[in-house]
Amino acid sequence: MGYRVGLINRIVYIIIAVWTLIMFIGGGVSVYNNYKYADSLAVNEAKVSIQKDLAYRSWVASHGGVYVPITKKTPPNLYLSHIKNRDVQTNDGQHLTLMNPAYTLSQMMHDYAKLYGTKGHITSLILLNPKNKPDDWERKSLQEIDITKKPVLTKTDINGEKYIRYINPLITKQSCLKCHAFQGYKVGDIRGAVSVSIPLRGYYAEVFYNSIWNIFATLVIYFIGLFAILYGKKQAKKVLENKIKNYEQHIYSLVNMIEKRDSYTAGHTRRVATYSVLIAQEMGFNDEKSEDLYRAAMLHDIGKISTPDSILLKPGKLTELEFSIIKEHVVVSYELLKEVDIYGEIAEIVRNHHEHYDGSGYPRGLKGDEIPIMSQIMTVADAFDAMTTNRIYKARKEIPIALKELQDLASKQFNSEVVKAASKALVNVHIDEKTSSQLPKTKLEQERFAYFYRDQITGLYNRDYLGFVLAYNYTDEFSYENIYVLFLNNFNQYNKKYGWAEGDKTLKNVAKKLEKFSHEALVFRIYGDDFIILSKEIIKMDEIEREVAEALLDTGIKMAYKYFNIKDSSIVNIHDIESLI
């Protein structure tokens, strides 16, 4: 009973620590989100302000400017003196002056600054009015706009105060030439930009008061939760009855850590846990033993946290050195689990799940009955899942074939009694064929492919992945019918003349054009200047030719291609393609 009370106390302390951490993080995230929301409101105000200014400017421009009475506030614009009819007199003797779009917008921005504190500014790198001289931020933004033709948005300081700054390009229209043609502008040129600076002080002040209330609410919830936890501590019977649930809570927290790092491992651990329990039940082990085995299986790969990403996330076969490194995960798993009281009993199961019945396993080379029976069960379940799951480097086996292979290895790699039970327990298990698809779906998987199966220059799939796709074409993984081999003629001459950097730039441009068709096909770069497209349907190559020709404009490089039907041409590997071309 003393052990159980001590266990209860330790569990409660862990829960309090976790609760404190959650609430601390929750409060921090809440405050952070409030400030992010304030930023987003300011960004929205900046964009709306600019759109309003541009709409007003567009209206003025569409009328070729507007005439207003000459007053102290609206004197004649000195920078429009080149316009013949800048100043006119009406029939009733009223003196008017022409206000061009920039002049009227500047006046309006001046008024808005007084009313709302926003800082609006018309600016340009080629000045007509010195008042429109850009500051450092505007100058850098204008240089960026000249390249991207897109607005620039940043959060920065102005005189020690935080502002959202937004600048939108001014594109020269026909109506603008009345005032600006003499500067050399043509229709479509970037003539300058309209910028606005929105002070964040007001938004942040509101956020500060909201955050105080959020923190107060968080503290109330925290103390309510703390009281509930302490009250629960007294309910020893209830805690003991829910011990398994507490175990599961911790288990899934740790498993989630692995899931976020390696999605393949996540699915694998759950399947191994399920298979292990089925075998244990077939062998007559009680629920308590089966539950211990389930928890051990769920954590059997936890040591892979210490395995380098370059090995853990590698979707191909491991080298001998890489395999020796990944084997260390067993020892790491054991050392991690033995330090946690609630996992002390399962640490030994995890430690030995790669030991083989004949002594050829690792880490200690145990054999026969030296290996805990629960570890021997997990070993069989682990092997069965590896056989029946697809990987980049091998296709999955059907259940009968996998069970036959286990039987062939009975009394060698596996305990024959465990294999006998597995042959009965696993014969009718359902394996979702989609769970191990080799195409990247999650962000993590895309990064894995980008590292191992993406061409470093173009970002397209590389030659290795083409080999894999062809090897498993017409299986449950792939079903491509058509292959297009694209050649860039004269590319070597271009490379020699302009250098590799320019050559790489051209390859990237071609790849961008080909990527437009990747939603319906797979695109590869296989050699220096050769590309391959695999598709299920016939592709309209004239459309691709137009796109690529645009990328190759003025380079002297021409694209040619050859088409093959994969089935008719009996293409199963890259060598088959090479022999055809």
Side-chain angles (χ1 to χ4, degrees):
M1 187 66 183
Y3 166 77
R4 292 186 177 183
V5 172
L7 179 61
I8 292 169
N9 288 332
R10 284 190 289 272
I11 291 173
V12 170
Y13 295 150
I14 291 172
I15 293 174
I16 291 175
V18 170
W19 174 248
T20 302
L21 181 62
I22 289 173
M23 296 308 298
F24 179 81
I25 293 174
V29 168
S30 175
V31 172
Y32 174 79
N33 286 339
N34 283 341
Y35 277 93
K36 290 295 290 184
Y37 181 66
D39 286 350
S40 68
L41 288 177
V43 167
N44 187 62
E45 182 183 345
K47 291 181 177 180
V48 169
S49 177
I50 287 286
Q51 291 304 315
K52 168 182 59 57
D53 292 342
L54 291 177
Y56 183 76
R57 174 188 172 279
S58 178
W59 181 87
V60 175
S62 68
H63 289 73
V66 293
Y67 283 92
V68 299
I70 298 175
T71 66
K72 186 176 181 180
K73 186 176 181 181
T74 55
N77 190 340
L78 297 175
Y79 306 101
L80 299 183
S81 57
H82 61 283
I83 297 177
K84 202 170 195 179
N85 57 345
R86 181 194 67 178
D87 302 324
V88 297
Q89 184 175 357
T90 64
N91 292 334
D92 59 358
Q94 188 176 17
H95 293 279
L96 304 177
T97 188
L98 177 67
M99 292 186 72
N100 68 331
Y103 191 19
T104 55
L105 189 55
S106 177
Q107 291 288 345
M108 187 177 70
M109 286 177 170
H110 179 73
D111 291 342
Y112 269 100
K114 288 183 176 181
L115 290 171
Y116 307 114
T118 60
K119 296 178 182 291
H121 192 210
I122 305 171
T123 186
S124 174
L125 294 175
I126 303 176
L127 294 174
L128 179 61
N129 184 344
K131 291 182 179 179
N132 297 337
K133 181 180 179 181
D135 60 26
D136 290 341
W137 179 84
E138 288 173 330
R139 182 178 297 105
K140 292 177 182 177
S141 299
L142 285 168
Q143 291 168 350
E144 183 178 339
I145 286 172
D146 277 342
I147 299 171
T148 65
K149 314 300 183 188
K150 295 180 180 179
V152 176
L153 174 71
T154 53
K155 182 168 76 171
T156 186
D157 288 349
I158 301 177
N159 298 325
E161 185 176 347
K162 292 289 183 185
Y163 280 79
I164 291 292
R165 303 202 71 181
Y166 183 64
I167 185 167
N168 200 86
L170 290 174
I171 300 174
T172 302
K173 298 180 180 179
Q174 185 65 40
S175 57
C176 302
L177 299 180
K178 178 178 180 180
C179 301
H180 297 279
F182 78 98
Q183 291 179 283
Y185 289 114
K186 300 185 295 296
V187 173
D189 287 348
I190 300 296
R191 188 167 57 78
V194 178
S195 77
V196 65
S197 303
I198 306 297
L200 288 167
R201 181 175 23 176
Y203 289 100
Y204 283 175
E206 184 175 352
V207 165
F208 176 78
Y209 291 113
N210 288 340
S211 296
I212 296 241
W213 282 107
N214 286 346
I215 292 171
F216 176 77
T218 300
L219 287 173
V220 170
I221 295 172
Y222 171 75
F223 285 114
I224 291 173
L226 190 62
F227 174 79
I229 293 170
L230 295 174
Y231 177 77
K233 179 182 176 182
K234 298 178 181 179
Q235 309 302 313
K237 183 178 179 180
K238 189 177 293 186
V239 172
L240 290 173
E241 289 174 349
N242 292 321
K243 181 173 66 174
I244 299 302
K245 293 182 180 179
N246 289 334
Y247 278 154
E248 290 176 352
Q249 179 182 351
H250 291 286
I251 286 171
Y252 288 121
S253 295
L254 292 172
V255 169
N256 284 337
M257 292 170 58
I258 303 176
E259 284 183 352
K260 291 176 181 177
R261 190 167 182 229
D262 183 6
S263 56
Y264 285 160
T265 302
H268 169 70
T269 56
R270 283 176 170 78
R271 291 190 297 272
V272 171
T274 300
Y275 300 155
S276 296
V277 170
L278 291 174
I279 297 171
Q281 290 173 342
E282 179 64 33
M283 295 180 70
F285 288 98
N286 60 31
D287 290 345
E288 185 177 349
K289 289 290 185 182
S290 296
E291 288 167 0
D292 285 343
L293 180 57
Y294 182 87
R295 289 192 291 275
M298 287 295 290
L299 291 170
H300 77 282
D301 279 336
I302 188 68
K304 287 183 179 177
I305 290 175
S306 67
T307 305
D309 285 350
S310 59
I311 298 175
L312 181 65
L313 304 182
K314 183 177 180 180
K317 284 186 177 179
L318 299 176
T319 65
E320 186 175 340
L321 176 60
E322 289 169 339
F323 184 62
S324 66
I325 293 173
I326 207 168
K327 286 196 295 187
E328 292 296 318
H329 83 275
V330 178
V331 176
V332 175
S333 296
Y334 171 72
E335 291 176 347
L336 284 172
L337 296 175
K338 75 174 183 178
E339 296 299 323
V340 182
D341 290 340
I342 60 175
Y343 297 137
E345 295 179 8
I346 66 174
E348 198 65 33
I349 300 174
V350 172
R351 182 186 194 184
N352 300 298
H353 79 277
H354 277 296
E355 300 286 1
H356 292 167
Y357 199 73
D358 60 3
S360 62
Y362 63 89
R364 295 183 293 167
L366 303 181
K367 62 181 179 179
D369 293 339
E370 294 175 345
I371 308 168
I373 189 62
M374 291 299 171
S375 299
Q376 296 186 51
I377 292 173
M378 194 194 302
T379 301
V380 172
D382 196 7
F384 177 79
D385 183 66
M387 293 176 189
T388 56
T389 305
N390 277 330
R391 287 293 182 264
I392 286 289
Y393 53 86
K394 69 175 181 65
R396 66 181 183 85
K397 295 178 173 67
E398 297 297 328
I399 291 175
I401 297 174
L403 292 176
K404 176 64 168 59
E405 189 168 324
L406 290 177
Q407 292 163 6
D408 292 342
L409 294 172
S411 298
K412 299 173 186 176
Q413 185 172 336
F414 310 116
N415 182 319
S416 58
E417 291 300 316
V418 176
V419 171
K420 184 178 178 180
S423 298
K424 295 179 181 179
L426 304 179
V427 67
N428 293 319
V429 295
H430 171 71
I431 298 175
D432 188 351
E433 296 178 2
K434 297 180 180 179
T435 57
S436 55
S437 173
Q438 300 305 301
L439 292 175
K441 292 180 282 295
T442 67
K443 202 166 186 179
L444 173 64
E445 290 167 355
Q446 290 169 357
E447 288 301 316
R448 181 192 352 244
F449 269 60
Y451 185 83
F452 291 104
Y453 282 115
R454 292 282 191 183
D455 175 57
Q456 296 301 306
I457 293 176
T458 64
L460 300 177
Y461 289 119
N462 62 20
R463 188 174 184 274
D464 291 338
Y465 193 55
L466 174 62
F468 168 76
V469 175
L470 292 175
Y472 291 101
N473 203 21
Y474 301 117
T475 67
D476 55 359
E477 289 294 321
F478 307 104
S479 57
Y480 292 98
E481 296 283 345
N482 308 289
I483 184 168
Y484 298 83
V485 186
L486 282 58
F487 311 94
L488 299 185
N489 296 327
N490 300 326
F491 181 79
N492 287 337
Q493 291 87 333
Y494 182 84
N495 230 5
K496 289 178 182 178
K497 184 175 181 180
Y498 296 103
W500 289 352
E502 286 301 315
D504 288 349
K505 190 183 298 183
T506 300
L507 290 175
K508 290 176 184 177
N509 291 337
V510 172
K512 285 181 181 178
K513 298 295 184 181
L514 296 178
E515 279 182 331
K516 292 182 179 181
F517 305 91
S518 61
H519 65 281
E520 56 193 31
L522 294 181
V523 186
F524 306 81
R525 177 185 175 224
I526 55 171
Y527 299 112
D529 53 1
D530 296 336
F531 298 84
I532 279 182
I533 300 176
L534 293 183
S535 66
K536 297 178 182 178
E537 307 293 337
I538 295 293
I539 293 177
K540 295 179 180 179
M541 286 302 293
D542 56 344
E543 189 176 343
I544 291 181
E545 287 181 298
R546 282 196 304 272
E547 291 285 343
V548 174
E550 185 179 324
L552 298 176
L553 190 65
D554 298 329
T555 64
I557 304 169
K558 303 294 182 183
M559 188 200 85
Y561 74 92
K562 290 185 179 181
Y563 164 78
F564 303 99
N565 181 278
I566 295 177
K567 188 173 290 184
D568 293 346
S569 301
S570 301
I571 297 174
V572 297
N573 54 44
I574 296 176
H575 177 72
D576 293 336
I577 300 174
E578 293 171 342
S579 64
L580 290 171
I581 61 176

